Amino acid sequence: MTESKAAALCGIDTPVFQAGMAGLAGPDLVAAVSEAGGLGHLGGLRQPPSLLRQWIRMVRERTNRPFGVNLVPAYGGPEVFEAQIQVVLEEKVPVLSLFYGDFTALLPRIRAAGVIGMVQVGSLAEARRAAAAGAHVVIAQGVEAGGHIRGRTPLCALLPAVSAALPDTPVLAAGGIVDAGSVRAARCLGADGVWAGTLFLATEESLAHEIYKQRLLRAGPDDTEFRTGYSFGWKYGTPHRVLPGRAGFNPLRLVGGGARRQDDASMAEKLSLYAGSGVGRIGDIRPARDRVAALAAGFEN
Ligand SMILES: Cc1cc2nc3c(=O)[nH]c(=O)nc-3n(C[C@H](O)[C@H](O)[C@H](O)COP(=O)(O)O)c2cc1C
């Protein structure tokens, strides 16, 4: 096993980080990933503070291992975001990952509270800002990533630039990481660890609708689209990557989203569903621990 600064910092066995995914990464998935030696992140976006607190406690009922909460200020507005941060601090969650915002004022507060702060970035300039403001870990997100995308740069260009610019900050690779081969490629480009979303949707524990999971399995390597139109709850024009909805002509096919187990089946059939460009190499639904093991194999020497 290679040395990983991020794994050592977080107290985990292998530097496999499951991306926080709004409403789709709940307590079962997070606990399963952390139990398997990686680090799960609750998808806190879309969760009212009281439900977020409940989810954190549910993770703790399932595992004693470290885990994280993921938050995005862009969705609920500053008051909801601040209330969510309060919950994370009060509940003493070990790791907080952040995306889509300016966190220069928040990061010193996170550090002072003893929480490990991670920021997902889409450009070299944003990576430098996050590290200077006190992020313990930076996640370099390539344009291959599923869901919302911060920049326009492919991972193979962004990751080596960020790793070289921040020699003292562990950098995780995000975007199209689905197997040991993609982990090895990311390591060659300077990754200290990996951050994967789509792969963890195709698990028994994720809260994705069954139809969503089946669409992930059917998708090939050419089936994702980079879009800048509508996506649920986000500012119009925020870039995102989806599997286009093709259930005949329906307005929902123009909307990016992530159908949850509790949503109506027609949502999963019609919506354009978030997925990363590695989706063509995901062939089955597995327990999350198998996903952690598959990615961890890429860190064996
Ligand atoms: C369904 C879905 C939902 C996502 N939701 C979030 C989110 O709430 N917060 C966040 O920081 N990133 C979110 N992302 C982006 C991930 O953090 C990460 O960049 C992405 O999953 C990496 O690419 P991959 O899907 O190819 O592994 C989401 C991604 C997906 C696929």
Side-chain angles (χ1 to χ4, degrees), residues 69-248:
V69 166
N70 173 265
L71 294 178
V72 182
Y75 191 97
E79 275 130 48
V80 174
F81 184 62
E82 177 54 32
Q84 291 173 321
I85 295 285
Q86 284 297 339
V87 169
V88 169
L89 298 182
E90 284 163 16
E91 295 292 322
K92 301 193 187 322
V93 175
V95 181
L96 172 64
S97 62
L98 300 160
F99 187 40
Y100 251 94
D102 177 359
F103 305 111
T104 40
L106 177 62
L107 284 163
R109 208 174 129 205
I110 297 302
R111 251 187 194 261
V115 175
I116 296 168
M118 301 187 169
V119 181
Q120 179 162 235
V121 303
S123 69
L124 180 56
E126 194 184 12
R128 286 190 202 276
R129 272 199 305 278
H136 293 87
V137 174
V138 165
I139 305 158
Q141 187 200 44
V143 74
E144 300 88 340
H148 290 90
I149 306 173
R150 189 63 169 154
R152 308 260 171 146
T153 310
L155 187 61
C156 65
L158 183 65
L159 176 58
V162 172
S163 304
L166 307 177
D168 299 326
T169 306
V171 179
L172 309 184
I177 305 288
V178 291
D179 52 20
S182 39
V183 171
R184 284 189 206 103
R187 281 175 64 196
C188 290
L189 297 172
D192 178 82
V194 293
W195 172 265
T198 305
L199 182 69
F200 285 103
L201 281 181
T203 56
E204 290 169 2
E205 296 89 345
S206 96
L207 293 173
H209 198 286
E210 195 50 39
I211 293 171
Y212 188 177
K213 293 183 186 179
Q214 292 306 317
R215 279 188 59 192
L216 294 172
L217 301 189
R218 283 203 304 277
D222 308 316
D223 287 342
T224 67
E225 271 181 30
F226 174 89
R227 290 191 176 174
T228 54
Y230 293 103
S231 55
F232 268 128
W234 290 67
K235 198 169 145 217
Y236 182 84
T238 306
H240 51 281
R241 184 173 295 283
V242 289
L243 290 171
R246 302 232 190 259

